[in-house]
Amino acid sequence: MKHYILISLIFLTTNSISQEAYDPLNTPNTYRNLDNPNYWKNKMPHQAYWQQDVYYNIKAEIDENSDIIKGTEKLIYWNNSPDSLSFVYFHLYQNAFQPDSYLDKLQKSNGNNPKYGKYESKKLGTIINSITINGENIKTELDNTILKVYLPETLFPNENITFDINFQTYFDNGEVRRRMATYNSWGNKHYNGVHWYPRISVYDAKFGWTTDQHLGKEFYGNFGAFDVELTFSSNFIVGATGFLLNRDEVLPAELRKKLDIKNFKDKPFNSYPSTIIEYKENERKTWKYHAENVHDFAFTADPTFRIDEKEWNGIKVIAVVEERHCPKWKTAASFAAEVIKVYSTDFGMYQYPKMVVADANDGMEYPMITFDGGSEPYFKGL
């Protein structure tokens, strides 16, 4: 099935590297700096080695009434390979969770006949409204979770392109397990945002383009930097990949004090949560994050999240916990800090400024954030 989408693209040579000092906590993007010890060019295993680089700038609004993310994405993609590229591929992972998808066919071949949610049944996963490349009409081919985009001009080695993308991604809760999920948290919406944005595929020396359909398993991504703005109703508390740039705005000291886990550690487990921030339908709050040396960006959000913070060697360890679970999550941050200490001492220093351990009814790791579930001591296994 062929689609013709409006795509705009900027071609630039990439001989220049940012003159800003490397700073993984703040803008601008300094991932490609020569003083970034984690940039691949600074630790090449051999002289012919290369990786592609990415920089995502995403602004997204999450509608708690419709469970839809509406977002814009500016992606700069550097071709560090020796090859000239005439097309690229994007992953639209959420398209796996719908009738007639490759995952659906796998389910049915294994004797399952899953029921899908209201959006899934309409084949609404991630929808590309537009991709712009210099205002030209570009031929694309959509094959379930893989979108092939033909470039209007060849992308030569040592050049980059900029994609501007407008997209929508739908939360749902059908029978097929999906890590991008929403569920009811004592009358409040809880969101786990993973694989939620159009993500360019990896092109490497061994496999060329990675175009595996999403069948619910692991993911392979390009390393680079992210600037992400997440807009929620003002009563939500958010945990995410990256350094929180506007902490004083979204988590001022007075609010942070009210949200501290110690205020709730002695409440009966699984009791009804209190209301710290009243819900006002038209009042929004934007959480701004910057991340470097990462290949993905994930978030979790819940109005009932309460917070615990510990620190080891300058690394912030943050537990975000549903209030009803606080009595049996009060050691999560301190335990995670101890884990980071042991692994850093025995295997190699943890390279990021923070780690979020999230009470998210799941079990999966993403850059700087781990989704977990259960209660003490069982969450400690992950």
Side-chain angles (χ1 to χ4, degrees):
M1 182 177 181
K2 295 183 177 180
H3 299 261
Y4 291 84
I5 299 176
L6 183 66
I7 297 191
S8 94
L9 171 68
I10 302 172
F11 286 84
L12 296 171
T13 59
T14 59
N15 295 325
S16 61
I17 301 295
S18 171
Q19 299 303 306
E20 300 281 345
Y22 170 62
D23 179 2
L25 303 185
N26 297 289
T27 56
N29 168 25
T30 56
Y31 168 70
R32 304 181 74 247
N33 273 30
L34 296 179
D35 58 342
N36 175 6
N38 296 305
Y39 185 47
W40 63 268
K41 282 188 178 181
N42 297 327
K43 50 181 180 179
M44 293 167 62
H46 55 79
Q47 286 301 308
Y49 183 81
W50 53 269
Q51 292 181 21
Q52 309 291 60
D53 300 334
V54 294
Y55 171 51
Y56 290 87
N57 192 312
I58 304 174
K59 297 180 180 180
E61 177 147 357
I62 296 83
D63 188 327
E64 72 280 2
N65 294 311
S66 65
D67 299 331
I68 300 173
I69 299 176
K70 294 184 178 180
T72 60
E73 171 181 316
K74 182 181 291 290
L75 167 62
I76 305 176
Y77 178 77
W78 283 266
N79 182 15
N80 301 318
S81 79
D83 305 321
S84 298
L85 305 178
S86 59
F87 52 81
V88 301
Y89 290 93
F90 281 86
H91 294 282
L92 307 181
Y93 291 116
Q94 299 310 312
N95 289 357
F97 307 98
Q98 56 187 241
D100 303 319
S101 69
Y102 290 93
L103 179 57
D104 180 65
K105 293 174 182 177
L106 177 62
Q107 291 279 326
K108 290 177 178 175
S109 70
N110 288 326
N112 300 317
N113 189 24
K115 294 180 181 178
Y116 291 102
K118 63 177 182 179
Y119 291 133
E120 294 173 338
S121 61
K122 297 177 182 178
K123 299 187 177 182
L124 296 174
T126 293
I127 305 297
I128 302 293
N129 296 318
S130 67
I131 311 179
T132 59
I133 303 180
N134 269 355
E136 295 189 35
N137 289 315
I138 304 300
K139 185 174 77 168
T140 68
E141 295 175 356
L142 179 64
D143 183 13
N144 191 207
T145 68
I146 297 294
L147 179 69
K148 185 176 184 179
V149 176
Y150 293 87
L151 304 179
E153 299 177 28
T154 300
L155 179 64
F156 294 104
N158 300 316
E159 290 186 344
N160 69 59
I161 56 178
T162 299
F163 298 90
D164 286 293
I165 305 172
N166 183 290
F167 69 96
Q168 291 180 202
T169 297
Y170 296 76
F171 285 96
D172 215 336
N173 52 7
E175 288 185 350
V176 180
R177 183 186 184 189
R178 58 191 293 189
R179 297 193 183 277
M180 179 174 169
T182 182
Y183 59 84
N184 186 306
S185 174
W186 284 78
N188 298 280
K189 290 284 181 68
H190 176 110
Y191 293 107
N192 291 336
V194 301
H195 317 131
W196 55 278
Y197 57 92
R199 187 183 187 201
I200 199 163
S201 301
V202 172
Y203 182 76
D204 67 17
K206 185 172 184 179
F207 300 107
W209 286 106
T210 303
T211 57
D212 301 316
Q213 293 286 337
H214 179 31
L215 299 177
K217 297 301 181 181
E218 302 298 334
F219 303 87
Y220 183 27
N222 300 284
F223 278 82
F226 287 76
D227 276 299
V228 178
E229 296 185 8
L230 301 170
T231 299
F232 283 90
S233 171
S234 61
N235 65 324
F236 276 86
I237 306 301
V238 180
T241 300
F243 181 73
L244 180 59
L245 297 173
N246 62 335
R247 182 185 178 100
D248 290 343
E249 178 184 344
V250 296
L251 272 180
E254 183 178 352
L255 174 60
R256 172 64 185 85
K257 186 176 180 180
K258 293 178 181 178
L259 295 172
D260 198 280
I261 197 171
K262 69 176 181 290
N263 300 327
F264 312 97
K265 63 183 179 61
D266 296 324
K267 285 189 66 175
F269 182 74
N270 225 22
S271 59
Y272 196 84
S274 58
T275 298
I276 304 298
I277 306 172
E278 292 285 347
Y279 173 65
K280 298 178 181 178
E281 185 172 0
N282 297 319
E283 187 173 284
R284 317 298 289 174
K285 183 185 289 186
T286 299
W287 300 66
K288 301 178 181 180
Y289 295 91
H290 180 78
E292 299 192 13
N293 306 304
V294 298
H295 63 81
D296 202 359
F297 186 99
F299 67 85
T300 184
D302 191 311
T304 74
F305 270 158
R306 308 299 176 240
I307 303 171
D308 192 18
E309 293 181 87
K310 303 298 179 184
E311 188 171 317
W312 177 78
N313 199 35
I315 300 163
K316 292 275 189 184
V317 182
I318 305 162
V320 289
V321 184
E322 290 185 45
E323 183 181 307
R324 58 180 173 157
H325 295 155
C326 284
K328 295 187 179 182
W329 270 72
K330 58 190 177 185
T331 65
S334 57
F335 180 77
E338 186 67 19
V339 170
I340 289 175
K341 176 183 177 181
V342 170
Y343 275 76
S344 293
T345 302
D346 292 353
F347 298 103
M349 184 58 62
Y350 184 74
Q351 292 295 306
Y352 298 109
K354 77 172 191 182
M355 168 56 76
V356 177
V357 287
D359 176 16
N361 193 33
D362 202 349
M364 182 52 71
E365 311 83 357
Y366 302 94
M368 300 185 226
I369 185 169
T370 296
F371 292 179
D372 210 337
S375 59
E376 190 176 22
Y378 304 105
F379 65 74
K380 292 182 177 181
L382 180 63

